[in-house]
Amino acid sequence: MYRALTGWTFALPFTVLFLLFTAGPVAVSLVMSVTDIRSADLLDPLGVEVVGFDNYVRLFTDPKFVRACVNTAVFVGVGVPLTMALALAFALGLNSGLVRFRTAFRVGYYLPVVTSIVAISVVWRFLLQPESGLVNELLSAVGIQGPNWLNDEAFALPTLIVMAAWRNLGFAMVIFLAGLQAIPRELYEAATIDGARRWAQLRHLTVPMLAPTMLFVAVITTIAYVQYFEEPFVMTQGGPLDSTLSMAHHTYNQFGFGNYGYASAMGYVLFVVVVGLSIAWFRLLRNNVDR
């Protein structure tokens, strides 16, 4: 009895904070998502009208929300494989033993991960300026006229994807590197004796052995990319012509406009998307993980 009471005593502060700042707001937002509550209704919450699933139906007839969903799908569909491919390539290079000063490279690749995304976005915005940005200056030095990266509808979203992949590859690289170092060297020695070349070893040995690691990286990266917000908020404000508007950014804007019920419905749709994609990754890679 005393031990149980001691345990609950230590758990009580976290439990109270969790209920107040996590579970409570989640429950309240679920209720709000089936109402038409706006900022003006906060003084009289009992007068709010319950609209059922009208907010959810309205979402998919809202061209702006549909565009945000498409942008987010492109960001995830291109950004996640790109980030994982780059991270795996860098991890393989560092794990090969042919690269000197590997610790310095690890720190350098990981540094963007621990740097404020807002600060990174501001720096990249200056680097991508059409006239005075370093990127276009380097391109002009070799005779190439650089585009207006952040104000051209054709380049804005791909630019954010590349920047996000650069920023996040350090985290995925460290995880992949840990997975590679856990693979017994004897397996590679046996494969070499059997005549397997590097590509065959990568395809039939490294990738299957890394399946659990790949699953973890895929799920974490997908969750982060579905919720991408800071990049368009700081660099493009969702433009040009909503070409970089994300689901999270659009939800934030609706809260700012005082459409709390509508924004809450958006938040729950985003939650369902995150859960659905996570389940899809688990099913896609489960067979390799269970081997």
Side-chain angles (χ1 to χ4, degrees), residues 206-230:
T206 304
V207 172
M209 294 293 289
L210 276 181
T213 305
M214 294 179 68
L215 174 60
F216 174 78
V217 172
V219 171
I220 295 299
T221 307
T222 299
I223 291 173
Y225 279 20
V226 168
Q227 302 176 83
Y228 88 103
F229 168 76
E230 293 90 346

Side-chain angles (χ1 to χ4, degrees), residues 171-254:
F171 170 79
M173 181 205 69
V174 170
I175 302 301
F176 279 138
L177 191 57
L180 288 170
Q181 292 176 347
I183 300 175
R185 302 305 303 175
E186 293 81 1
L187 296 178
Y188 290 102
E189 294 172 0
T192 302
I193 293 173
D194 289 340
R197 298 183 179 273
R198 288 186 178 274
W199 173 251
Q201 292 181 19
L202 175 65
R203 181 180 176 185
H204 299 291
L205 176 58
T206 304
V207 172
M209 294 293 289
L210 276 181
T213 305
M214 294 179 68
L215 174 60
F216 174 78
V217 172
V219 171
I220 295 299
T221 307
T222 299
I223 291 173
Y225 279 20
V226 168
Q227 302 176 83
Y228 88 103
F229 168 76
E230 293 90 346
E231 297 92 333
F233 181 77
V234 175
M235 299 177 68
T236 63
Q237 293 76 51
L241 300 176
D242 295 331
S243 62
T244 60
L245 183 69
S246 67
M247 295 173 67
H249 192 187
H250 190 37
T251 303
Y252 169 85
N253 288 338
Q254 291 301 315

Side-chain angles (χ1 to χ4, degrees), residues 22 25 130 231 271 274:
T22 302
E231 297 92 333
F271 168 75
V274 169

Side-chain angles (χ1 to χ4, degrees), residues 6-284:
T6 302
W8 279 108
T9 301
F10 280 110
L12 184 61
F14 169 79
T15 304
V16 171
L17 292 175
F18 176 79
L19 292 175
L20 286 177
F21 297 106
T22 302
V26 167
V28 170
S29 65
L30 180 60
V31 174
M32 291 171 61
S33 71
V34 295
T35 70
D36 66 347
I37 185 170
R38 298 175 181 271
S39 55
D41 299 322
L42 294 179
L43 297 177
D44 183 24
L46 296 180
V48 174
E49 180 183 357
V50 176
V51 296
F53 291 100
D54 288 356
N55 285 331
Y56 293 93
V57 174
R58 177 187 165 194
L59 285 175
F60 297 99
T61 59
D62 179 0
K64 210 175 187 71
F65 180 74
V66 172
R67 182 64 185 273
C69 290
V70 172
N71 293 339
T72 303
V74 172
F75 194 89
V76 173
V78 177
V80 172
L82 177 62
T83 302
M84 292 181 65
L86 290 174
L88 181 58
F90 279 89
L92 288 169
L94 291 176
N95 192 55
S96 66
L98 301 177
V99 179
R100 300 179 62 186
F101 309 111
R102 284 183 291 176
T103 301
F105 279 105
R106 291 182 197 177
V107 173
Y109 294 142
Y110 197 79
L111 193 59
V113 179
V114 297
T115 305
S116 168
I117 180 58
V118 174
I120 289 176
S121 298
V122 171
V123 171
W124 273 90
R125 189 173 63 183
F126 283 110
L127 292 175
L128 296 169
Q129 290 295 316
E131 300 296 334
S132 58
L134 179 61
V135 173
N136 280 358
E137 289 286 343
L138 293 175
L139 291 176
S140 64
V142 294
I144 300 175
Q145 179 64 40
N148 193 340
W149 297 99
L150 299 178
N151 293 310
D152 189 322
E153 192 175 357
F155 289 97
L157 186 58
T159 299
L160 295 187
I161 292 173
V162 171
M163 193 203 81
W166 166 82
R167 178 181 182 264
N168 291 285
L169 74 86
F171 170 79
M173 181 205 69
V174 170
I175 302 301
F176 279 138
L177 191 57
L180 288 170
Q181 292 176 347
I183 300 175
R185 302 305 303 175
E186 293 81 1
L187 296 178
Y188 290 102
E189 294 172 0
T192 302
I193 293 173
D194 289 340
R197 298 183 179 273
R198 288 186 178 274
W199 173 251
Q201 292 181 19
L202 175 65
R203 181 180 176 185
H204 299 291
L205 176 58
T206 304
V207 172
M209 294 293 289
L210 276 181
T213 305
M214 294 179 68
L215 174 60
F216 174 78
V217 172
V219 171
I220 295 299
T221 307
T222 299
I223 291 173
Y225 279 20
V226 168
Q227 302 176 83
Y228 88 103
F229 168 76
E230 293 90 346
E231 297 92 333
F233 181 77
V234 175
M235 299 177 68
T236 63
Q237 293 76 51
L241 300 176
D242 295 331
S243 62
T244 60
L245 183 69
S246 67
M247 295 173 67
H249 192 187
H250 190 37
T251 303
Y252 169 85
N253 288 338
Q254 291 301 315
F255 268 110
F257 298 152
N259 301 325
Y260 298 147
Y262 190 49
S264 297
M266 286 186 189
Y268 274 93
V269 170
L270 185 60
F271 168 75
V272 171
V273 170
V274 169
V275 172
L277 288 175
S278 299
I279 293 174
W281 273 119
F282 272 102
R283 290 190 173 182
L284 181 64

